[in-house]
């Protein structure tokens, strides 16, 4: 395919190429399979406290994205968020820990105020700033206890980059409970679409109960609701990325809505070159097969990655082999000519001294030169090339089958 043809057939990067009907069809098939598998008896040890409904409700549904090139150069410890039409964490019994910027007293007063929603206040069991976090949770045992006491961790985006050093591998060795970034800082005013810088105020002793740099209470509540219900994207130097989109207890329509939203935002926001870099999109459960909802027709981004036809490949390989064999064959010849040139020069420059009896001695001297081993080397090279050619033909035959 030429570059002009590839550019003409390139998909529009602003439009989602996932077919909603295919997503709904795959969601129904996947949910039916998970419910059928949960109803079947399992061999080995069984959990007597678990039933079919709880097993299905706890089963997560994942969207898997495979790309042609890596999405990121390194692991990102800070997850990104995709707001979903159907929130993920709606369990009223799950607990939340807020990690905020100094001072913590201002945020504690907000959570304790009457304007704060009661159902959300009961779920927030701890509010702590970065200074107290470093002081109280230095040891590994304390960090593990904090990790086990809460289900969800939300962190102010102003201090979230300092948390890997403060919390260590207890929180960041996996992606289960990594702190989710939230924006609690007050937004600067805009004039004609541009942010206006605030004038520098004189340094005065600030009341810990006041935080002039915090957002209004309603915006903080909205930010918390968005964060706990969003899908989290953890980028890594890989061509494979998985995002949780829902649970097996949902309806197929709810699951399909979330999958379509995640697929569109994931490609538009995080994939370089958008849909041109997407290879496949699948949905799957923890122990199920992956059901495809999108597959590309082009496996590479440019023509330099595409292998030519068989005849062209054979011609190129033959030319390379001929060139290599010619170079190998000339090695011995060059060595012989170089060795023979000084003697020829001497014989032409100076006449032979003595009688004819001296000439056989020179011939014997030339015969004493060790014979070149080029024939044996050429034979070994030819055998290796023939063996390699057979291996390539067998591999190509296996791929075609």
């Amino acid at each position: 395919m030429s570059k002009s043809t590839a550019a003409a057939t390139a998909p529009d990067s602003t439009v989602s190429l996932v077919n909603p009907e295919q997503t709904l069809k795959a969601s129904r098939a996947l949910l039916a399979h998970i419910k059928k598998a949960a109803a079947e008896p399992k061999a080995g040890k069984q959990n007597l406290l678990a039933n079919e409904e709880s097993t299905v409700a706890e089963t997560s549904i994942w969207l898997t994205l495979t790309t042609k090139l890596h999405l990121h150069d390194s692991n990102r410890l800070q997850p990104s968020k995709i707001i979903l039409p159907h929130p993920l964490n709606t369990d009223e019994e799950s607990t939340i820990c807020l990690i905020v910027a100094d001072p913590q007293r201002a945020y504690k007063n907000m959570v304790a105020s009457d304007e704060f929603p009661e159902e959300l206040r009961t779920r927030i069991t701890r509010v702590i700033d970065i200074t107290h976090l470093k002081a109280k949770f230095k040891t590994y045992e304390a960090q593990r206890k904090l990790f086990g006491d809460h289900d969800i961790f939300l962190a102010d985006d102003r201090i979230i980059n300092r948390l890997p050093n403060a919390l260590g591998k207890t929180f960041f060795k996996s992606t289960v409970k990594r702190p989710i970034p939230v924006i609690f800082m007050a937004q600067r005013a805009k004039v004609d679409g541009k942010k206006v810088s605030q004038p520098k105020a004189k340094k005065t002793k600030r009341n810990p109960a006041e935080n002039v740099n915090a957002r209004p209470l309603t915006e903080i509540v909205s930010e918390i609701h968005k964060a706990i219900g969003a899908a989290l994207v953890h980028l890594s130097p890989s061509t494979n990325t998985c995002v949780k989109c829902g649970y097996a207890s949902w309806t197929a329509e709810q699951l399909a809505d979330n999958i379509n939203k995640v697929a569109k935002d994931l490609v538009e926001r995080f994939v370089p070159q958008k849909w041109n870099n997407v290879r496949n999109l699948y949905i799957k459960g923890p122990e199920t097969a992956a059901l495809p909802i999108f597959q590309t027709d082009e496996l590479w981004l440019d023509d330099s990655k595409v292998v030519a036809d068989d005849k062209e490949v054979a011609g190129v390989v033959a030319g390379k082999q001929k060139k290599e064999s010619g170079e190998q064959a000339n090695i011995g010849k060059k060595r012989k000519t170089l060795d023979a040139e000084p003697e020829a020069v001497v014989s032409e420059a100076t006449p032979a001294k003595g009688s004819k009896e001296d000439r056989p001695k020179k011939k014997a001297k030339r015969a004493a030169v060790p014979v070149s081993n080029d024939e044996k080397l050429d034979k070994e090279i030819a055998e290796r090339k023939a063996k390699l050619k057979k291996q390539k033909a067998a591999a190509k035959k296996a791929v075609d089958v």
Side-chain angles (χ1 to χ4, degrees):
M1 182 184 291
S2 62
K3 294 184 178 179
S4 60
T5 307
T9 59
D12 188 0
S13 60
T14 60
V15 179
S16 176
L17 300 183
V18 177
N19 187 358
E21 295 181 359
Q22 177 68 18
T23 304
L24 183 59
K25 183 178 179 181
S27 300
R28 288 173 178 169
L30 183 61
L31 293 178
H33 173 74
I34 292 175
K35 291 177 182 179
K36 182 180 178 181
E40 295 177 354
K42 296 182 180 180
K45 293 183 178 180
Q46 297 182 3
N47 187 3
L48 300 178
L49 299 177
N51 53 24
E52 181 181 346
E53 294 182 0
S54 63
T55 303
V56 172
E58 295 174 358
T59 303
S60 303
I61 307 298
W62 299 81
L63 174 69
T64 302
L65 165 70
T66 57
T67 56
K68 303 170 187 176
L69 300 177
H70 285 192
L71 295 182
H72 211 260
D73 296 334
S74 60
N75 287 322
R76 285 192 61 182
L77 300 180
Q78 177 180 341
S80 301
K81 297 175 294 185
I82 296 179
I83 308 302
L84 300 176
H86 306 284
L88 288 180
N89 298 317
T90 57
D91 185 9
E92 297 180 356
E93 296 181 359
S94 60
T95 57
I96 302 173
C97 175
L98 292 182
I99 305 175
V100 299
D102 298 340
Q104 65 182 17
R105 175 49 54 187
Y107 297 96
K108 286 186 174 181
N109 292 343
M110 289 183 183
V111 174
S113 63
D114 297 336
E115 299 176 0
F116 202 87
E118 179 66 23
E119 67 278 2
L120 187 59
R121 184 192 301 120
T122 56
R123 298 177 62 183
I124 299 176
T125 54
R126 183 186 294 271
V127 179
I128 187 171
D129 59 21
I130 186 65
T131 303
H132 289 81
L133 183 70
K134 289 181 177 180
K136 291 183 178 180
F137 300 97
K138 287 183 178 180
T139 62
Y140 180 69
E141 291 77 8
Q143 293 174 2
R144 288 193 61 184
K145 186 176 184 304
L146 177 66
F147 184 85
D149 288 343
H150 308 282
D151 300 320
I152 303 172
F153 291 85
L154 305 180
D156 195 330
D157 65 338
R158 290 172 289 182
I159 51 91
I160 195 169
N161 291 332
R162 298 159 62 184
L163 293 182
N165 293 332
L167 298 176
K169 66 178 182 180
T170 306
F171 282 78
F172 291 93
K173 68 180 178 180
S174 66
T175 60
V176 178
K177 292 185 181 181
R178 284 188 186 178
I180 304 171
V182 288
I183 302 175
F184 286 162
M185 185 179 66
Q187 301 296 318
R188 290 187 294 179
K190 292 184 178 180
V191 177
D192 296 335
K194 297 181 180 179
K195 293 182 179 180
V196 180
S197 59
Q198 299 178 354
K200 293 184 179 180
K202 296 181 180 180
K203 291 184 178 181
T204 57
K205 190 174 182 180
R206 186 173 56 181
N207 185 1
E210 297 179 358
N211 191 345
V212 295
N213 206 23
R215 303 179 73 172
L217 180 61
T218 56
E219 295 182 6
I220 289 180
V221 172
S222 176
E223 189 71 14
I224 293 175
H225 278 299
K226 290 179 181 179
I228 61 179
L232 303 180
V233 180
H234 300 274
L235 298 180
S236 61
S238 172
T239 58
N240 190 12
T241 303
C242 294
V243 181
K244 185 165 72 172
C245 299
Y247 298 95
S249 59
W250 290 8
T251 63
E253 290 73 13
Q254 291 176 330
L255 185 60
D257 291 341
N258 279 10
I259 291 173
N260 291 329
K261 182 66 165 57
V262 171
K264 183 176 181 297
D265 288 6
L266 187 63
V267 174
E268 291 182 357
R269 292 172 52 188
F270 305 105
V271 177
Q273 302 185 33
K274 304 297 187 292
W275 288 98
N276 293 326
N277 193 13
V278 177
R279 178 171 290 183
N280 300 308
L281 283 170
Y282 303 94
I283 60 172
K284 66 183 299 294
E287 299 178 354
T288 66
L291 301 182
I293 60 174
F294 172 79
Q295 290 181 322
T296 184
D297 296 331
E298 299 178 357
L299 297 180
W300 308 104
L301 290 176
D302 53 359
D303 294 341
S304 62
K305 305 293 184 181
V306 180
V307 178
D309 296 336
D310 296 341
K311 295 182 179 179
E312 297 180 8
V313 173
V316 173
V317 172
K320 288 184 178 180
Q321 291 178 353
K322 185 176 180 181
K323 183 178 179 181
E324 291 175 358
S325 61
E327 292 177 355
Q328 294 289 346
N330 289 334
I331 292 176
K333 295 178 181 179
K334 290 181 180 179
R335 190 185 301 117
K336 289 180 181 179
T337 53
L338 290 175
D339 294 340
E341 280 178 5
E343 297 178 0
V345 171
V346 171
S347 61
E348 291 178 358
T350 58
K353 294 182 180 181
S355 61
K356 295 182 178 179
E357 297 177 357
D358 295 332
R359 293 182 181 178
K361 293 181 180 179
K362 291 183 180 180
K363 290 182 180 179
K365 207 172 188 180
R366 289 183 183 178
V369 177
V371 181
S372 176
N373 202 19
D374 289 336
E375 295 181 359
K376 183 178 180 181
L377 183 62
D378 292 342
K379 185 177 180 182
E380 291 180 359
I381 293 174
E383 291 176 356
R384 291 179 184 176
K385 288 183 179 179
K387 185 177 180 182
L388 182 60
K389 191 173 181 181
K390 291 181 180 179
Q391 292 177 352
K392 287 183 177 180
K396 184 179 179 183
K397 185 177 180 181
V399 172
D400 294 340
V401 171

